[in-house]
Structure formats: structure tokens, C-alpha cells
Amino acid sequence: MTEQMNKPSRPQASRRAFLGGAAALGAGLAVRPALAAGDPLITEVQDWNRYLGDGVDARPYGVPSRFEADVVRRDVPWLTADTKSSVNFTPLHRLDGIITPNGLCFERHHGGIAEIAPADHRLMVHGLVERPLVFTLDDLKRFPRENRVYFLECAANSGMEWRGAQLNGCQFTHGMVHCVMYTGVRLRTLLEEAGLKTSGTWLLAEGADASAMTRSIPLDKALDDCLVAWGMNGEALRPEQGYPVRLVVPGWEGNMWVKWLRRLEVGDAPWEHREETSKYTDLLANGKARKFTWQMEVKSVITSPSPQAPIAHGRGRTVVSGLAWSGNGTIRRVDVSLDGGRNWQTARIDGPSLPKALHRFYHEFDWDGSELFLQSRAMDEKGFVQPTKEDLRAARGTNSIYHNNGIQTWYLKPDGALENVEVS
């Protein structure tokens, strides 16, 4: 892997030069014509026609095609010194639709992957409750269950881009987000089973991993839409995603979604643990830090074409594909710009539009081989508009890591290659 190791380089072509040279886009879709002489892949018998294939038990769980072996999560070695406290990234540039395959959901954990046998797992509810309770996994599955599609985004997604273009790939700039269907029981149901005392206003969620990950959550949020989940996309949680049980906190930063969930304590104030004081806070330009910045703001990115997904077909009909999401709810509109934000066209959102889930958008156009500066800009149902990186820095300074939802720019070169850049 070399692409993410390349240190940032600035584009050679200036935006001014591009804007002056942008001309009318060219001809339409280039479709391969029928070959009069015959294509041997059509006219000759191939091995897959000649020989019998594997039987049904050859792959009892199922694996992707061997021709998709490069579609994998990847890490950036210089981002984390310790493999136990590390992150890898979802290959957004190779996916479509809004659901992320379970095996490709990015990982972020602080003490390695806890391996817990489901029969040994316990979830305790205590604190300001009438009846402290302990649930086994089987106990949890006896409560009414729900299925919900939500995105999960790490607060640090795009964090390396605060001071400028750094990582040359959509997977590495935006790949700490995924979207799956979670199956579980409402957190409200469990808390009501324990009997909340009126003095309870906060909830502490604690994981069973070696780092004992903890986060304080306002009780209003816990009672609103949170789940205690054991399933994702129809199967059990993957170990790296918190097997056997994790917390689901829709629309809020990923570290709140405590994995390997073992304890819920009801209290009357936040606990002010490490992850909400020295970590996961936003240092502003004046030296003060914001804390409890839970909600993920409206955001979008073009996933293809992008630096890891160059245009290989040459000029002609081209499909721009991307993702948009917001912790506020649904995405109302996505605009796409081909000229670095000077002109915008409304993209087509395709597929389900679910609150606090990824949205897939497309924009088709005829590429004439000119250099372009591709951007997307999302607007959510509450009216929030994705900011430019300049606007974000003007409001927050450049000390932050978390909650970077600025507009991303890909520089498309005449040969179809792309690069992570910024325009001003």
C-alpha cells in the first residue's frame, strides 16, 4: 500500500488556469460497439463454461469473489503507534448503495478486540434505579426488538484534513463512517425495566474491553432513540464491532457507541472521564476546548471518482457517486460542483432516505477530458448546510481534530487520475 503514505502535495494546475480553460463538456456516453469479427470472450468457450464449479458446501458462510480481494479495510501506519489503539478505514471508493458490508465497517478501538463468549457476557444496570438488574444475552433477546439503519461516524473522521489536504484517498479522508441495519432492544425498555428514579439525568456506558471505554450520555438521548444491539445486517455483531452487545447512539459520534457493553449506570451528573475531558474535545483558537460535542454534522463526499478510483474509461459519460449524512436526520439535497465551488448542480439521491443513515447520490455528466475540481455539498432536513473548509476554520480555528465536516475537493487530471487538494 503506497497511496496513503504519500505526503501531501499541492496540485500543479491552478484553479485560475482551470476556470479559464473550462469549456463545454463533450459528447455523450461511450458504449462498446458490437465487434464484427467476434469477441473471443463471447465466441470461444471459457473455463467457467467447460468445468464444474464448487458445490454448495465449499463456502458455508460465503466470501467475496477472489476478484474483489483488494476491497478491504486499510490502516495508515503512521497515524497510530500502537496496534491495540488503532483505526482502519472503510473502502468507500469501492462501495455503492447505503449499506456497508459487515466485513468492511471501519474499526476503532482503544484496547484491542475483546473476545467474549456470549454465554459469559453480562450487562448490568444500576445506579439511580429502583431495581438493579443483570441481563444475559438471552435475557436481552426476550424483550421487544427493533431493526434500524443508522450511520456510525468516528468524531475524528477527516480529522487529518484540518490544516490542509493530507491523505490521498477517500478511504483515508472519510473512511471512518459506515452504515448498517442494527438489531436490538431499545435502551428505554431496559431502563424502564430497572425503574428510573426521578433524580436520574445521565447515563454512564462502560465497555468490557481492556480499556474499559466509558462515556456519559444525557438520559434524554438514552430514552429517545438508543438501542442495545446484538445484530448488524442480519447477523451477529462482528467481534471488532462489539460482539456480543454494543450501544447504538444514532447521529452521535462513534465513541459514544460503546462496544462490548457491560455496564449502564444512571446518575445525576456526567462522570467527566478521560474520553470526555482530555479526549474527544475540540480545542478552539483561543485555547478553550469544547466538550460534549456529540452530534455529527451534515456532511458529504464524492466517493468515485476519487484518488483511489480514477476514471479509466477516458472522456465521455461519467458517473459521480457519493455519500451524504447528518446527525440531524435525513438529507434534503446534495449539490455537486465540477469547478471547485463556482457553480453547483443538484445531484440525484437514489435509494432510501432514512433519518441518521447514509444517503447515496449520483451526478452524471459528459467529461471532455478537461481538468476539474469535484466537490459535493449536502443540506439536511433541519436546514444545515455543509460548510467550506475555510468557513469551518474561521469558526473553529485549526487546533481541532474532531468534527471536520468541510467540503472535500478532488482534483481530476486530464489522464483521469485524481488528487486530494484544496481550492480557495
Side-chain angles (χ1 to χ4, degrees), residues 91-100 301-304 320-325 331 334 347-353 357-363:
L92 299 177
H93 61 293
R94 294 295 300 274
L95 304 180
D96 219 323
I98 67 167
I99 297 297
T100 311
V301 64
I302 292 173
T303 56
S304 176
V320 170
S321 176
L323 292 166
W325 62 96
I331 294 296
V334 180
R348 176 171 56 89
I349 295 177
D350 189 82
S353 177
L358 294 185
H359 291 60
R360 175 63 63 177
F361 67 85
Y362 299 102
H363 175 69

Side-chain angles (χ1 to χ4, degrees), residues 132-209:
L133 297 172
V134 175
F135 300 99
T136 66
L137 180 59
D138 287 340
D139 292 334
L140 295 176
K141 291 182 175 180
R142 295 177 64 190
F143 287 96
R145 66 186 67 177
E146 297 188 359
N147 294 284
R148 295 286 181 269
V149 176
Y150 293 123
F151 78 81
L152 189 166
E153 183 181 20
C154 178
N157 199 21
S158 313
M160 293 300 295
E161 306 291 304
W162 264 106
R163 295 178 177 82
Q166 293 286 323
L167 298 166
N168 209 26
C170 179
Q171 181 170 15
F172 306 111
T173 59
H174 291 74
M176 284 195 282
V177 65
H178 58 70
C179 184
V180 306
M181 175 176 279
Y182 292 97
T183 301
V185 56
R186 293 190 68 179
L187 180 54
R188 167 188 283 271
T189 301
L190 301 182
L191 295 175
E192 289 179 345
E193 184 75 9
L196 289 169
K197 294 184 177 179
T198 56
S199 55
T201 53
W202 286 80
L203 185 74
L204 182 75
E206 180 182 88
D209 59 321

